[in-house]
Amino acid sequence: MVERDTELAIVDEALDQLTGPGPDAGGALLAFSGPAGLGKTTLLAELRRRALARNCTVLAARGGEQEQSQPFHVARQLIQPQLAGTSEQELRAALGGWYSIVGPALGLCAPEQGVPPDPQGLRDGLDWVLTHLVVKRAPVVLVLDDAHWADPESLGWLAAFAPRAEHLPLLLVVAYRPDELPAHADAFRTLPGRAGQRPLPLAPLTPAAIATLVREAVGAHADDAFCQEAWAVTTGNPFEAVELTAKVRGKGLTPVEANAPQLRDLAAAQRGSGLVARLERLGPSTVRFAWACAVLGTAIPQDLAARVAALGAEEASDATRRLRDARILSAAAAEAPEAEAGLEFVHPLIATSIYRAIPDALRVALHGKAAAAVVDAGLGSSAAARHLLETHPENDPWVVRTLREAAGENLRAGAPEAARRQLARALLEPPDFDERAAVLYELGCASLLTEPANTVNHLRAALAEPSDDPALRQGIVIRLAQVLAHSDRLAEASESLAREIPYTQDVRARLRLQSEQFMWDAFNAAETDSPARSRRLARLADRLTGRDLTERYIIGLRAWDACLRGEPVDVVLHHAGRVLERPFSWAHEDRGFEVPVLVAMAHMYTDRPGRAEELFEAGTAEFERHGWRGAHLSFAYSLRAYVRYRRGRLVEAEELARAGLRLAERVGRRTPVHWYAIAILLTTLLARGRPEEAWELAREHEYGSPFPAAVVFPDSQTVYAELLLSRGEVQAAIVELEAVDRRLTPRGIQNPAWCPWQLHLARAVAAGDPQRARAFGAASGIGQALRVAAQVAAPEERAGLLQEAVTLLSASPAGYELACALAALGTELRDADLLMQAVVTARECGADGLAAETTDTLLGLGGALPCGLAWEDGLTEEERRAADLAVRAEKEPVPETVVLPSPDWALSAACRKLGTDRTGLRDALESFARSST
């Protein structure tokens, strides 16, 4: 290691930190950059030697120019050897719930049929596996050479994982050519760390260093002029200097000034055309063998290269020997039997030069032979696919079949971008006339997450192809509607389904398409015939028995539609209960997760948030089991946060909402999942009394017009209007709320329990009417409407409205709304006891702003601050008795004309903790008892 003392000192310092005792011990990230030939590989080899001498576990991988299109090629090099030789049972025990998610990507098991993991879920799984290995086998040094040639899936994962290195007993080291490093690996350029400057650029060697190399190789008698010329012709490149001295030694050239002019010709012979000419002198069979190795890439099985080169075993052995003697192939594995030795080129520059020297037509043919050879060798269609990507279309059914198989494997393994490339190539072959629609459909499925616009084009092209497979056509239409809807093109999604339904002969298939259309219409705020659609949905759902998943989806949509339109709570819960009579998957292979979410949310709006949380917890667990840790998991966290908000558990709601937002930002800003996460977090921050923080968050995330076309919960534009009201911008809020009115009123969506836009508008224009909330019948919705009505009512009416609001809300799970109503009633009546109860309830909820404001009012009346009152998550004995008595009493609903007594606070606390109103106490207590055992 000539003239690399600085770099080796940094390496030793990092290794000392990794292996040393004390608080400074820990991991780091090192990145070495430099053009080809400056000694990055040699430096990493020395680093590995020193790490092993310190008893470190070393994980090593190398990017390959020919393997870039093979997903997880680098990840497999790093992790597979650590788990090699373990049985399936041991692997399952070691990987736990990640086995079926990361196993296929790492080549440890075959992909399972069913829903594949999303790319983010797979990255999370790889994070877990690597972290587990690091902790188990610490200290660990992970070395990635030629990172610029790593496959995108592995490189993106490692770049995202890199910041964790400093918090683990892990030294992560990468080496790359700076001009070739992809943008998605910029973390390796910019991360600060303990090693100081990053990346660490390698400089060419000085004349003195080159002189040292020359004299070490050819003798101390090499004169200064000869050494100076060696530096000049190699420009200080260590690789070229070593190769040059080997040729000087091989030719027996005396290292004196008189022979210095010959160095330029010798240097030229080891690169570009000179290398090719040198190779050709080794003979035709050796050339063919070298070409085959260049096509196959790295870690080349000799027998496989022999087959691609059309050589016998003896000829291949001779060619291997000659290429090693010529310093073209590495002799690193020379001690192994030649048939088993994995061959490598001495340097990637040599591999690149030889690969590019292959005549174009022959290079294409060699890739075709390599594809067939790897399949015959049992390496699978995925290994063959990277070669087929380099071939020309020839109308070969085998090529189409192999590429489709590889794409299916990669899609199930969580590499949709690789599957997209393979299917796009299959389409060019082209497939047979009757296969084209299927390939276009598969291409659309592979492009769904990364290229939604292209997915639409592929699927529409698939529909234009003749096909006699009704199931395929139905799948194409459903997937087309899905991608249109997720691109905020809900009307187009509905239209695509409507065009297909009349031509679908099978009754069950037609019902499936109708269910999909009903679903996307339910989300479309601009739907023109919403009331008529609701009537059609009601007639259809009411006569279905729920015998299969399609019927249950339609019934679930009926429950949600009834909720939006404010039909009585009993109607909503009746249909939701029909859906849940049997297990209801949130991650079905052939369905979206929208209807299960709608059924859960229907429970929340009907004052059964406890049941809604049970459903969300089951759905979240199912997402995680399948590796769905992107948009799906973000939706789950955000909507669970909204359920907590509706229950008045604002601290927990904020935590979940922030977790949902973190996941959403990994998916991308201004996507539907991002809107949900921001809207719910803003709503929670406003309830906690932090309007300025909410405003800054909205500005940071560009939350504002234009809003998405979908009807969501909470409604994005309504949340924005509430934010404006919190800032006193009343006129601007009115503009937004009137726009919501124009969107939703023609559709008959006027249930304030779902979207309180009318209540916000009532606050802004001083007019309120709680009758729609009464028609729906949810105590929390009626109580909120009464509180808002009191704000704008005549002074003599306020106390009565607020008293009724408090009574109703105390029998509901809506803790935050109860706190607001108690504070308003206590302020109106100047009642210290009510205000004290409001402060306690606000504190329980985490409504800090409301608690502080109510405390000021209480102290102003001469009241004392409540103390020593702590919220307990579980039911107290008093609360359990109150709930049991209420269930046994089974009282009839109290008429509106009756003056209601003061609430039973023990029963009120039980309702909030169980997440139900009084009518749901029986089921909630049973569920609580089951969960407690």
Side-chain angles (χ1 to χ4, degrees), residues 566-590:
E567 293 186 42
V569 163
D570 291 347
V571 174
V572 178
L573 290 174
H574 166 69
H575 292 299
R578 293 172 65 200
V579 174
L580 299 174
E581 287 174 354
R582 284 175 286 166
F584 199 42
S585 172
W586 288 50
H588 195 279
E589 180 182 5
D590 193 33

Side-chain angles (χ1 to χ4, degrees), residues 681-737:
L681 182 53
L682 290 174
T683 301
T684 305
L685 290 174
L686 290 176
R688 298 207 66 193
R690 288 144 60 185
E692 289 305 319
E693 183 179 343
W695 181 250
E696 289 303 318
L697 182 74
R699 291 179 60 188
E700 177 189 348
H701 290 269
E702 300 176 340
Y703 187 84
S705 183
F707 293 96
V711 173
V712 296
F713 20 80
D715 181 74
S716 301
Q717 197 166 7
T718 302
V719 171
Y720 186 65
E722 185 180 6
L723 185 60
L724 292 171
L725 283 173
S726 73
R727 295 175 54 81
E729 299 180 25
V730 176
Q731 290 305 314
I734 290 174
V735 170
E736 299 293 343
L737 292 167

Side-chain angles (χ1 to χ4, degrees), residues 389-423:
L389 292 175
E390 304 298 330
T391 61
H392 295 320
E394 293 184 349
N395 197 24
D396 186 341
W398 179 83
V399 172
V400 175
R401 184 169 63 253
T402 303
L403 286 168
R404 288 181 68 186
E405 288 174 0
E409 289 177 11
N410 284 322
L411 195 59
R412 290 193 299 276
E417 182 59 24
R420 184 198 63 77
R421 292 193 300 268
Q422 291 154 359
L423 289 165

Side-chain angles (χ1 to χ4, degrees), residues 661-684:
L661 179 57
R662 285 193 295 272
L663 290 168
E665 293 220 75
R666 299 198 296 188
V667 176
R669 291 196 171 191
R670 298 193 75 82
T671 56
V673 66
H674 184 243
W675 281 105
Y676 274 79
I678 290 294
I680 290 167
L681 182 53
L682 290 174
T683 301
T684 305

